[in-house]
Amino acid sequence: WSEPKKNWCCAHGGRGCTPAPPTPPPTPPPPFDCRAGVENWVAGWSAPKKAYCCAHGGPGCATPPPTPPPTPPPTPAPTPPPLPFDCNAGFSNWVAGWSEPKKNWCCAHGGRGCTPAPPTPPPTPPPPFDCRAGVENWVAGWSAPKKAYCCAHGGPGCATPPPTPPPTPPPTPAPTPPPLPFDCNAGFSNWVAGWSEPKKN
């Protein structure tokens, strides 16, 4: 059917009518009545009712905290005392014209009037010999000057002491003489009659 036919038959015979959209469900009532008890909402309403009514344009919003007093302006810093010396005045002749206190103060606070630092001492020359090089064969491999230098500076190079002589052997004891064939003291009081001829001889 064409749209004109649908419309005519729907209007004159109840046929060809487009189904009407379903009726929406009724809107649920609000959870809270924001007009009930409004005169005493601060003390009489619950926290959920206050939150709901505050969000939907009614009372119930928490009372804003009081505005803090304005911050006082900062106290101005005290004016610093005047400087004891003017480090620009007389700088062209500071060596002869400034006093020692002014030189010391201006050197510490402005880098002017400083006494020149003493010259840097020259670097220490390297040692004439390296007492670690060739130390494994110093006896035969080092020169006499290197040995003398390293010996004097706590390294090797000192002359090797002569070997310790062997200990002196103890003297050979004299041979024990053989025993005497006769004792000339025994029986001497009667030697004439008591000794034999060999003993007498």
Side-chain angles (χ1 to χ4, degrees):
W1 285 8
S2 63
E3 286 301 318
K5 183 174 181 177
K6 289 178 184 178
N7 295 337
W8 193 91
C9 290
C10 178
H12 293 85
R15 289 186 172 186
C17 301
T18 303
T23 304
T27 304
F32 300 103
D33 182 358
C34 296
R35 292 174 297 178
V38 70
E39 300 83 6
N40 189 33
W41 71 267
V42 176
W45 284 5
S46 65
K49 182 172 181 178
K50 289 179 181 178
Y52 175 84
C53 293
C54 177
H56 289 79
C61 300
T63 304
T67 304
T71 304
T75 304
T79 303
L83 299 178
F85 301 102
D86 181 358
C87 298
N88 294 318
F91 180 66
S92 59
N93 189 34
W94 69 270
V95 176
W98 284 7
S99 64
E100 285 302 318
K102 181 173 181 177
K103 290 178 182 177
N104 295 335
W105 193 91
C106 290
C107 178
H109 294 83
R112 291 187 163 191
C114 302
T115 303
T120 305
T124 304
F129 299 103
D130 182 359
C131 296
R132 294 174 297 180
V135 70
E136 301 82 4
N137 188 34
W138 70 267
V139 175
W142 284 7
S143 65
K146 181 171 181 177
K147 290 179 181 178
Y149 174 85
C150 294
C151 177
H153 290 80
C158 300
T160 306
T164 304
T168 303
T172 303
T176 305
L180 300 176
F182 300 104
D183 183 359
C184 297
N185 293 317
F188 180 68
S189 58
N190 187 33
W191 69 271
V192 175
W195 285 5
S196 64
E197 286 302 320
K199 183 174 180 178
K200 290 177 181 177
N201 296 334

